[in-house]
Amino acid sequence: MADKDDSAAALIERARKAATRAYAPYSGFSVGCAIEAEDGSIATGSNMENACYRLGTCAEISALTSAQQAFGLSKIRRIAVAGGHLGDDGMLVGAQAVTPCGGCRQAIAEASDLADHDIQVISASGDGETVSTTTIAALLPASFGPKNLKDADG
Ligand SMILES: [Zn+2]
């Protein structure tokens, strides 16, 4: 594993485990997300597809919703994402690190704005062996956020 941070490895394992509970019968691509709060609490989520394809929900959005319920978006310290498909043993496999989609980057950026600090984003492959660590500010530079609504009427 490229990342030698044991606590990051534990968070990645939580994301991989969450992916095993994804509902992804159409794409066969299961994604899990684990969000860590400043106090070490963890909220997880996975993607959920629908026969009406466009209604699918990303793992990150699912986990962000859980995080808001558990400890609040403003308390988020870092986020781990892992994706792939389920192997014969039911475990997540796959070699490519999964980064949050554009929409999820926007949602993570909103949490970063609320927290008033950058949020670390750990992207892992399904097998957890390939890891890329960056931040939401790097993934979504010059982002649109609450500050951009200052000129709204009302
Ligand atoms: Zn997404």
Short mmCIF file of all heavy atoms in Angstrom, two decimals, residues 58 60 101 104, ligand 1:
data_model
loop_
_atom_site.label_atom_id
_atom_site.label_comp_id
_atom_site.label_asym_id
_atom_site.label_seq_id
_atom_site.Cartn_x
_atom_site.Cartn_y
_atom_site.Cartn_z
N CYS A 58 -24.49 8.50 -5.09
CA CYS A 58 -23.08 8.17 -4.87
C CYS A 58 -22.83 7.78 -3.40
O CYS A 58 -23.52 8.25 -2.49
CB CYS A 58 -22.19 9.36 -5.20
SG CYS A 58 -22.11 9.77 -6.95
N GLU A 60 -20.39 8.80 -1.59
CA GLU A 60 -19.95 9.97 -0.83
C GLU A 60 -21.14 10.76 -0.31
O GLU A 60 -21.15 11.23 0.83
CB GLU A 60 -19.06 10.88 -1.68
CG GLU A 60 -17.75 10.24 -2.10
CD GLU A 60 -17.85 9.53 -3.46
OE1 GLU A 60 -18.92 8.95 -3.75
OE2 GLU A 60 -16.87 9.57 -4.20
N CYS A 101 -16.62 11.86 -7.75
CA CYS A 101 -17.08 12.51 -8.98
C CYS A 101 -17.21 14.01 -8.75
O CYS A 101 -17.11 14.50 -7.62
CB CYS A 101 -18.40 11.90 -9.45
SG CYS A 101 -19.86 12.49 -8.54
N CYS A 104 -19.87 15.07 -6.17
CA CYS A 104 -19.47 14.78 -4.79
C CYS A 104 -18.37 15.74 -4.33
O CYS A 104 -18.34 16.12 -3.16
CB CYS A 104 -19.03 13.33 -4.65
SG CYS A 104 -20.41 12.17 -4.77
ZN ZN B 1 -20.30 11.20 -6.77
#
